[in-house]
Structures are given as C-alpha cells and as structure tokens.
Amino acid sequence: MPPRKRTRRSRTPKAAPPTTRSFASGNAASAVTASGAAGPAPAALPAGAPAAPIPVEASARARAVAWACRDAGVVSVAWQHGVASALPPVPYRDRDRHLPLPNHLVLWSESAGEQNRALIARHVPWSIGGTARLRTPFQEYRQPEVPRVLFCPSTPDLDDLLNLARRLRRERIDGELAFRAHPLRSVAPDDLPGWTLDQGEVTAALQESSVVVAGTSGVVVEALRLQVPVIIPIFVPSLRHSPFAVTRPGLYCCASEEELYAACQRVLGDQVGDREAFHATARYFAEALRVDEVHQLFRELLAEGVNR
C-alpha cells in the first residue's frame, strides 16, 4: 500500500496572560510585554526613506528582534547601548528595509536624541531615560599625587590609540604615562615599555589621572563626572567621527600630535577653566537613570499593548 500522507492540523494558540520579559539581542536591550491580543506593529521604514546611517539600536539584528516581537504580539523597546555616534557602524541597506523598527527608543540624553532625529525620530517615538551603565559618581576633582596621562580606549579604537601611544615623544609630556585597555582586550608590557598598564577599577583609574585620552567610550563621560579633562585625538582614523568631537567644557579635540602635546601641557598645568562645567558636559551625553519616567513609559506601553 502507498504510504499515507500526513496532514498538519492547525492549532489555535491559547491566550497567554500579560507578562513582562527583559532580554537582549546584540547591542539592543529590549523590554517587552506579551498579551493574548496582537500588540502594535513596529514601524517599518517607508519605501521612500533615504539611504543613510542608522543608530545601532535600529541595526539589522535589533530590527530582527523587533520583527520577532511583532509576530509574538509584544511591544519592543530598544534601549541605547552606548554613546551615540554621528556615524554609526551599521549602515542602512535596502535588503533590511522590510525589517521593522522597535516600537520605542529609550535614549541616554538629549545629545543622543539629536543624533537620532535625522532618520529614526521620523518613524519611531523616542524618549530620554538616562542610563545606569555608568556608575562613576559626580564628584569634585581630586588632584592625583603624581601627574598622569591615562590612555583609555574602547575596543574599536584600541589599536589606533595603542599605535599613537607607541610613537609619543615622552620628553614632551611632563607626567606619568598610563594605558588602560578595554577589558575584552589585553596589552602586554612589551607593547608599551616604560608605561604603566592600569587594569584596575575604572573609577579608581580615572581618579588617579590628571587627564584622559579617549574617543568613543563611555569612559569619557565618567571622567567628566570626576571633573577630569579628556583629550580626543580626532586625527586617528577611528576617532574622526567621535561623538565627543564637540566644543564643550572639559573636552579637548586635537587635530594633530602637536595639538595633543599642547593640550597635555595645558591640562597638566591646571589651565582647564571652571571644572564645575564638566558635569554639565557629562549630562549632555548621558543623564542619570530617570527611574520614575521609565516606569511610566513602560506602564503606558503595557496598557497600549494589552488594549489593542
């Protein structure tokens, strides 16, 4: 006898009670609410949307998560992962056009909102929720016992800042030279002879420094919270589009090594102006977590998802 053909029966899923889940995918941490009814569909970029860079919170991976949320009938919220960049690493591609965006973006600060307005704000509502990732407190500057210049790169700019450190002329910097690599990368003593390799806790490392050299990391904000000035060497390739390349108190954007030496001399001579203004610069890039406002946002999104 010929084999019987199996027919697949369709089953009606049981309605699930409203629940709240938190999960992360790639660089987008999302809080979602599930309900028996279908939640609001995340927006997709319209056919006429311009080809332009999009922030990492709306990358292909994060938008795939939003797609899964839509199919499951849940609301997706993308929370800013790191300091927003004027030139995000994930470009907009036509093949990703069908992927939906999250229902809502929660950003660190007004600065991030300004950089997201160009594309995302026209299609996804966003609000400022601050961040709890940066744990360094706001404090007055503590003069270290020994003047120290601390290189503190993130993963993307580590190689460039390491190469810059290797070719620095030590006699032109009147202070100790220290290098703190990203926790996911390591630097051997042979890579920087005569330098101090600092692998301690970040707040302690910053408090022991007179000035920090960085470019894309949240460490820039943490240094400013401690009223430690930061030099941004925008002449190295990975920092040409640093989000911190702006004119604000506490930031020194250097377009050449000569400018870097001059900035070090000025800062080590304590010619930095009003350090109180450094705190305002830190808040411009990353505000403290707005707990009450975030709770209210989630309540509204939960209600919206359940009622639809």
Side-chain angles (χ1 to χ4, degrees):
M1 295 179 63
R4 295 180 60 186
K5 295 183 179 180
R6 294 185 179 182
T7 59
R8 183 175 298 177
R9 297 180 180 179
S10 60
R11 297 182 179 180
T12 303
K14 296 181 179 180
T19 58
T20 301
R21 306 189 186 101
S22 295
F23 61 93
S25 174
N27 288 332
S30 303
V32 298
T33 172
S35 64
L45 287 177
I54 59 176
V56 70
E57 289 72 30
S59 66
R61 182 179 299 174
R63 291 161 69 184
V65 173
W67 195 357
C69 290
R70 181 189 62 183
D71 290 346
V74 302
V75 178
S76 60
V77 178
W79 202 299
Q80 182 177 341
H81 169 73
V83 178
S85 172
L87 186 63
V90 183
Y92 178 83
R93 295 170 295 191
D94 286 339
R95 69 183 185 186
D96 298 331
R97 186 181 296 277
H98 65 286
L99 294 176
L101 295 170
N103 292 101
H104 200 92
L105 290 174
V106 179
L107 304 176
W108 284 12
S109 67
E110 184 64 27
S111 169
E114 292 174 359
Q115 296 186 24
N116 278 274
R117 276 194 189 97
L119 180 63
I120 298 303
R122 294 200 300 270
H123 311 293
V124 180
W126 59 273
S127 58
I128 298 174
T131 178
R133 286 193 62 195
L134 306 180
R135 301 184 180 276
T136 301
F138 287 88
Q139 292 181 352
E140 293 185 359
Y141 177 66
R142 301 178 182 178
Q143 183 75 38
E145 295 182 3
V146 178
R148 185 170 89 149
V149 178
L150 175 67
F151 276 59
C152 202
S154 59
T155 301
D157 52 47
L158 187 145
D159 291 331
D160 281 340
L161 288 186
L162 180 59
N163 290 332
L164 174 60
R166 286 170 176 156
R167 66 175 184 263
L168 280 183
R169 297 169 57 184
R170 295 177 54 87
E171 68 275 8
R172 298 197 59 181
I173 298 179
D174 188 17
E176 177 189 353
L177 294 175
F179 196 97
R180 185 182 187 279
H182 190 278
L184 298 179
R185 298 281 298 273
S186 61
V187 174
D190 293 342
D191 291 330
L192 289 172
W195 284 61
T196 299
L197 299 184
D198 191 329
Q199 293 301 321
E201 196 271 331
V202 62
T203 300
L206 295 173
Q207 289 175 332
E208 295 172 0
S209 303
S210 308
V211 60
V212 173
V213 179
T216 60
S217 171
V219 168
V220 173
V221 178
E222 294 182 279
L224 294 170
R225 286 184 174 189
L226 299 173
Q227 298 184 349
V228 177
V230 182
I231 292 176
I232 314 294
I234 58 176
F235 57 90
V236 301
S238 58
L239 299 185
R240 289 172 183 168
H241 301 283
S242 168
F244 301 107
V246 297
T247 303
R248 284 188 171 267
L251 296 177
Y252 295 82
C253 296
C254 300
S256 66
E257 288 187 33
E258 285 299 321
E259 290 187 11
L260 184 146
Y261 293 130
C264 284
Q265 183 177 4
R266 179 179 176 184
V267 170
L268 294 175
D270 202 22
Q271 302 175 21
V272 297
D274 181 15
R275 292 184 185 267
E276 289 294 330
F278 293 10
H279 286 170
T281 302
R283 291 187 178 95
Y284 172 73
F285 291 106
E287 296 191 14
L289 183 65
R290 299 181 177 182
V291 177
D292 294 339
E293 295 180 28
V294 171
H295 284 174
Q296 179 61 29
L297 169 65
F298 284 168
R299 282 192 292 267
E300 293 173 359
L301 292 175
L302 283 167
E304 183 181 7
V306 172
N307 292 333
R308 286 196 176 192

